[in-house]
Amino acid sequence: MADRLETESRKLLGRLRDAMAGDLEGQARLDRITHLIADSMGCEVCSIYLFRDEDTLELCATEGLNPDAVHKTRMKLGEGLVGMVARNRQVVNTPDAPQAKGFRYMPETGEEIYSSFLGVPVQRLGEALGVLVVQSRTAREFSADEVYALEVVAMVLAEMTELGAFIGDNAAMSARHSQPVLFRGTVGQEGAAEGHVWLHEPRVVVTNPIADDPERERVRLREAVEQLRVGVDKMLEIAGGQDKDQQQVLEAYRMFANSKGWMRRMEEDISNGLSAEAAVEKEQSVARARMGQVTDQYLRERLSDLDDLSNRLLRILTGQGADTGAEMPADPILIARNIGPAELLEYGRSLKGIVLEEGSVGSHAAIVARALAIPLVVHAERVTTEALNGDHIMVDGEQGVVHLRPDDNVVTAFRDKIAMLAAAQERYASIRDLPAETQDGAVLSLQMNAGLMADLPSLPSSGAEGVGLFRTELQFLVRNQMPRRSELVALYARVLDAAGGKPVVFRTLDIGSDKVLPYMKPNDEPNPALGWRAIRVGLDKPGIMRMQLQALIRAANGRPLTVMFPFVAQFEEYRSARRLMDKTLAAEERLGHVLPESVKVGAMLETPSLAFAPLKFFEEVDFLSIGGNDLKQFFFAADRENERVRRRYDTLNVSFLSFIEGIVERCNATGTPLSFCGEDAGRPVEAMCFAAIGLRSLSMRPASIGPVKSLLRRTNLPEVRKVIADARHRGEMSVRPAVMEWLRTRGA
């Protein structure tokens, strides 16, 4: 039976290929295909439903249903049995469709006389394109072999759709990769950019989904898999015992490459008429579909490994390497599923913008994008499957919106916005050298955050008074092994040289949580943000901290040195770190190294517990910097990487502002210098409110200094304090509405 079905499947695919090669196009080609499928499977009905938009399916062709319903019958995702197949991306096979849960009767189709229903998703690499349905009058459940055969056909339909097989003068569908598409993601780095798409990993295009000679395709597959296995073995040999984590990933690759089940399934697909490439991609599509449904992190990682391995195998089979010969456009907007900091740094400032399907606002890529002042949007779902190299694209980093192949109206409005942003930057440049002084005479110190040498050229042009936070972990994250002390000495010295005498606050290594070094064994912690990270790692591994402190001391070479320890949760942690600093200074003096002219040692206040430390702590610490990003997530118990909860909580919430004000009062009582560091410091309205409750030093990304200074210079702080106080008195949850209304009445 199976052999007969395999033969029938090959015959059907051969007939489909002939239909592709014929003169028919567009709707006529789709109509011919539904007739061929219905005839081959012995069914009265075959229908193809394709997505018109991400939520709407349309009947695009049918054999057996009312032809007048074509392009008129539409349904929402999840609506009816067809909508259920599309939403769940799973087969629906029932002998009695009208009685099945979720059935929706469409009177215009005339389908009420058909009992049996088999629907399979038409999908490519995890992207749902539509649903393929067969129906018959006889009440029966389709066999597993018949289901499998229809899935193979759906796979080929997906490839045909991707290759534009149904486009023509009488088009059933508009051409893929040709229509304007809007993506809504999350802001990773503000700014606006216009340019052309540059794909970080160009998609492999399968141009021959159907094959005549199964034996030849099996030989091609086996040879490619053997080449893949040899490549994985070589990578394992090179990795050796140096990197256990990388070795574990490669061992997983080796396991999949040698998987008999994986090979058997692909060979079965070839027996059913698919080419070797199409068989690999069919398995890859199944893996991606499962990846979107499993919640277990380990299983997701393994499915991701299989996805990556499939890509490697496809590149071997097609000869389509990462270098396709395409020339990078002069104004590239980088499109990728995700990207590491080292890869992003290789592109450097040549990029005009970055759009990622995955990523997060706190990822290494986001940190690098901010350092390079490149607009970044993350969580732009499906962008890698929709965009092609060279496509016109506009990235709105202010709103987290991406316009791919925009129409003329969008282009005009977007260019107006870019012009307005440019005009605003000119206004900010005119006040660059003026103090951040409010109308009532309060003067604030505005400093910039940095983490790369690429940041430092922004110091004079931004108007920053110094570097309020230099993130030292980036030099550790972009390498495959621990940097040498001599390398760190040279880097830190260049940072101080580039600062030109302006103060620089070096934050010691802040790793853990979302920042895992590639050469350190990650800890399987249930909640990494609350786990072994930052100062906790430094105190448990004093050798690493000592090496970094030595590098900072030697880099200062007689100049002032300011060091800040991250994520201090209690007084004793600061004291222990301070003792290590004092011992390192003494050891450096004994070795004859030049000591810094002065040394200031501070802490980042990122946990609510430190705000209630003993008074002695505030007296001993040289300075404090509120790490707003972490402090806010712990204050509200809302993961800042979780979009479902982080936006629920406002920085200008009355309770959070009151908490910050309490820290200001404690520092004022002990004369402890205090600053606020984080994304909120660079938002003009938030910065104005921080100033109103007593903060006098803010550290932010360079591009934010102009907008913040502009608003502060037009603000009377006593008036803002009164607005905040009145909102508190009225019992309002957040002062934002009242503050925004006050700004509107003043025309600010």
Side-chain angles (χ1 to χ4, degrees):
M1 177 70 176
D3 290 341
R4 185 185 69 76
L5 278 171
E6 286 175 2
T7 303
E8 290 302 316
S9 176
R10 283 201 301 274
K11 286 181 180 177
L12 172 56
L13 290 180
R15 294 170 74 184
L16 288 178
R17 186 189 54 216
D18 293 341
M20 289 272 292
D23 294 333
L24 298 176
E25 59 181 29
Q27 186 65 52
R29 177 176 278 169
L30 262 184
D31 292 342
R32 176 66 176 156
I33 287 171
T34 55
H35 172 77
L36 289 175
I37 296 172
D39 184 54
S40 296
M41 294 199 67
C43 296
E44 289 90 356
V45 174
C46 175
S47 304
I48 296 174
Y49 298 82
L50 297 174
F51 278 101
R52 274 297 182 185
D53 57 51
E54 60 183 26
D55 293 318
T56 309
L57 285 157
E58 180 179 302
L59 176 62
C60 289
T62 187
E63 169 78 10
L65 297 185
N66 183 357
D68 292 337
V70 173
H71 299 307
K72 294 178 182 174
T73 295
R74 294 186 179 184
M75 62 199 71
K76 290 296 182 182
L77 194 66
E79 185 179 9
L81 297 183
V82 173
M84 286 171 57
V85 173
R87 182 187 62 195
N88 301 329
R89 301 187 189 184
Q90 292 180 348
V91 172
V92 170
N93 182 7
T94 175
D96 190 359
Q99 297 303 313
K101 183 179 179 181
F103 176 80
R104 180 196 162 194
Y105 174 51
M106 303 276 194
E108 72 275 15
T109 65
E111 65 176 340
E112 69 275 9
I113 62 174
Y114 301 107
S115 296
S116 301
F117 176 99
L118 172 60
V120 301
V122 178
Q123 56 186 346
R124 183 177 186 272
L125 299 183
E127 181 189 12
L129 302 176
V131 177
L132 174 60
V133 175
V134 290
Q135 296 170 271
S136 64
R137 287 189 176 89
T138 306
R140 70 184 183 93
E141 189 169 341
F142 290 89
S143 71
D145 289 324
E146 288 173 313
V147 173
Y148 183 83
L150 198 65
E151 286 181 316
V152 171
V153 173
M155 158 78 190
V156 175
L157 280 178
E159 292 296 341
M160 290 177 173
T161 304
E162 175 70 15
L163 294 169
F166 308 129
I167 309 304
D169 293 335
N170 184 20
M173 295 292 292
S174 56
R176 285 178 60 77
H177 311 299
S178 64
Q179 302 300 309
V181 185
L182 171 68
F183 299 94
R184 296 190 183 278
T186 302
V187 175
Q189 159 70 6
E190 291 90 343
E194 177 181 7
H196 292 84
V197 167
W198 180 251
L199 293 169
H200 179 56
E201 292 181 337
R203 287 193 312 281
V204 174
V205 179
V206 176
T207 57
N208 59 327
I210 305 168
D212 276 331
D213 187 346
E215 186 54 39
R216 179 176 177 274
E217 294 304 306
R218 276 192 285 269
V219 170
R220 289 182 63 232
L221 177 66
R222 289 166 188 164
E223 289 177 348
V225 168
E226 182 57 31
Q227 187 177 335
L228 178 70
R229 289 169 181 164
V230 170
V232 171
D233 288 342
K234 282 183 179 178
M235 286 190 286
L236 265 166
E237 189 178 321
I238 292 170
Q242 297 178 3
D243 188 336
K244 291 183 180 179
D245 297 325
Q246 184 181 0
Q247 207 163 7
Q248 286 177 358
V249 171
L250 291 174
E251 288 288 1
Y253 281 5
R254 176 188 270 172
M255 178 189 71
F256 282 125
N258 289 280
S259 168
K260 292 181 180 178
W262 186 44
M263 194 71 182
R264 185 188 67 252
R265 291 192 299 274
M266 291 188 292
E267 289 190 339
E268 285 176 358
D269 292 331
I270 289 173
S271 295
N272 278 284
L274 294 183
S275 67
E277 292 91 333
V280 173
E281 195 165 273
K282 181 173 181 292
E283 285 301 304
Q284 189 179 17
S285 289
V286 171
R288 283 205 183 171
R290 287 180 62 199
M291 208 185 311
Q293 294 169 0
V294 300
T295 55
D296 182 88
Q297 185 62 31
Y298 177 80
L299 286 177
R300 285 181 64 87
E301 287 173 0
R302 297 291 72 79
L303 288 167
S304 180
D305 290 341
L306 181 57
D307 186 49
D308 183 62
L309 205 66
S310 299
N311 271 331
R312 292 171 185 267
L313 186 55
L314 279 171
R315 294 192 188 286
I316 292 171
L317 281 165
T318 62
Q320 298 173 30
D323 183 4
T324 62
E327 186 175 344
M328 182 184 286
D331 51 0
I333 304 286
L334 184 73
I335 306 294
R337 288 182 69 191
N338 214 335
I339 189 170
E343 294 172 302
L344 192 50
L345 282 169
E346 287 180 12
Y347 286 104
R349 293 185 184 274
S350 65
L351 300 177
K352 300 298 181 185
I354 305 165
V355 182
L356 302 179
E357 273 196 13
E358 300 172 0
S360 67
V361 294
S363 68
H364 313 146
I367 292 170
V368 172
R370 290 184 198 118
L372 299 174
I374 299 172
L376 166 68
V377 173
V378 298
H379 302 147
E381 294 182 9
R382 300 184 306 104
V383 69
T384 59
T385 58
E386 185 62 50
L388 295 177
N389 272 338
D391 278 345
H392 186 202
I393 187 169
M394 292 176 152
V395 180
D396 186 343
E398 310 289 328
Q399 302 296 324
V401 169
V402 178
H403 301 278
L404 182 64
R405 299 182 291 267
D407 61 30
D408 291 343
N409 291 334
V410 171
V411 170
T412 300
F414 195 89
R415 287 177 178 167
D416 287 346
K417 179 171 185 172
I418 290 177
M420 290 173 62
L421 290 173
Q425 287 301 324
E426 288 182 13
R427 291 198 306 274
Y428 302 146
S430 69
I431 62 171
R432 181 186 62 199
D433 299 323
L434 299 177
E437 183 176 3
T438 62
Q439 291 182 348
D440 56 294
V443 179
L444 277 81
S445 173
L446 303 185
Q447 302 181 63
M448 62 174 271
N449 299 332
L452 299 165
M453 282 303 298
D455 289 310
L456 274 302
S458 301
L459 185 53
S461 61
S462 67
E465 296 176 30
V467 179
L469 168 66
F470 189 89
R471 305 180 182 93
T472 62
E473 61 272 7
L474 287 179
Q475 287 69 46
F476 290 77
L477 288 165
V478 298
R479 297 167 179 262
N480 291 322
Q481 59 186 15
M482 183 77 72
R484 294 192 297 270
R485 182 175 56 199
S486 59
E487 293 173 327
L488 294 178
V489 171
L491 173 71
Y492 300 152
R494 289 201 305 274
V495 170
L496 290 169
D497 291 342
K502 290 185 177 181
V504 179
V505 179
F506 289 96
R507 183 178 69 186
T508 60
L509 195 57
D510 185 5
I511 57 171
S513 185
D514 61 330
K515 297 190 282 287
V516 179
L517 299 184
Y519 42 85
M520 280 185 70
K521 182 175 177 61
N523 289 294
D524 295 326
E525 298 180 300
N527 194 336
L530 297 174
W532 194 60
R533 54 175 293 201
I535 189 69
R536 298 167 182 176
V537 177
L539 293 177
D540 287 352
K541 291 186 174 292
I544 296 176
M545 184 185 283
R546 187 181 301 109
M547 184 266 285
Q548 188 178 25
L549 294 176
Q550 288 170 339
L552 288 165
I553 291 166
R554 295 178 192 182
N557 195 27
R559 292 175 286 192
L561 176 64
T562 305
V563 176
M564 176 167 64
F565 295 114
F567 206 64
V568 176
Q570 58 182 357
F571 187 11
E572 181 52 37
E573 289 174 337
Y574 172 77
R575 273 189 163 167
S576 297
R578 182 67 190 247
R579 281 195 295 268
L580 185 57
M581 178 60 151
D582 293 340
K583 288 179 182 178
T584 306
L585 283 166
E588 289 295 289
E589 186 175 26
R590 286 196 301 273
L591 291 171
H593 293 292
V594 178
L595 296 185
E597 175 188 300
S598 61
V599 178
K600 293 180 180 177
V601 181
M604 286 205 85
L605 195 158
E606 299 169 271
T607 62
S609 63
L610 197 62
F612 301 99
L615 188 64
K616 187 69 174 172
F617 164 73
F618 289 88
E619 293 171 344
E620 283 191 15
V621 72
D622 290 335
F623 65 93
L624 279 175
S625 180
I626 295 172
N629 298 342
D630 260 331
L631 183 62
K632 191 164 74 171
Q633 79 166 337
F634 297 133
F635 184 84
F636 289 113
D639 184 355
R640 62 185 172 128
E641 301 298 338
N642 186 339
E643 291 300 308
R644 298 175 71 177
V645 297
R646 80 180 184 95
R647 291 185 178 276
R648 296 168 71 112
Y649 301 99
D650 188 3
T651 304
L652 300 187
N653 180 286
V654 169
S655 58
F656 188 65
L657 274 186
S658 298
F659 182 64
I660 298 294
E661 195 168 22
I663 298 170
V664 172
E665 290 170 357
R666 292 203 78 182
C667 287
N668 287 343
T670 55
T672 308
L674 176 67
S675 65
F676 188 103
C677 173
E679 294 302 303
D680 288 322
R683 298 187 172 101
V685 174
E686 281 84 338
M688 178 186 70
C689 291
F690 291 156
I693 63 173
L695 280 160
R696 291 296 178 265
S697 179
L698 305 173
S699 189
M700 63 201 74
R701 64 188 183 95
S704 296
I705 290 174
V708 168
K709 183 186 289 185
S710 176
L711 182 57
L712 288 174
R713 287 180 58 83
R714 293 179 283 122
T715 298
N716 183 290
L717 293 184
E719 292 181 21
V720 182
R721 276 197 294 272
K722 185 176 186 309
V723 172
I724 292 173
D726 289 347
R728 279 174 172 160
H729 182 72
R730 290 193 298 270
E732 294 182 8
M733 185 175 71
S734 171
V735 305
R736 187 178 299 277
V739 169
M740 296 304 294
E741 179 60 29
W742 176 78
L743 285 170
R744 276 191 291 272
T745 59
R746 297 177 72 253

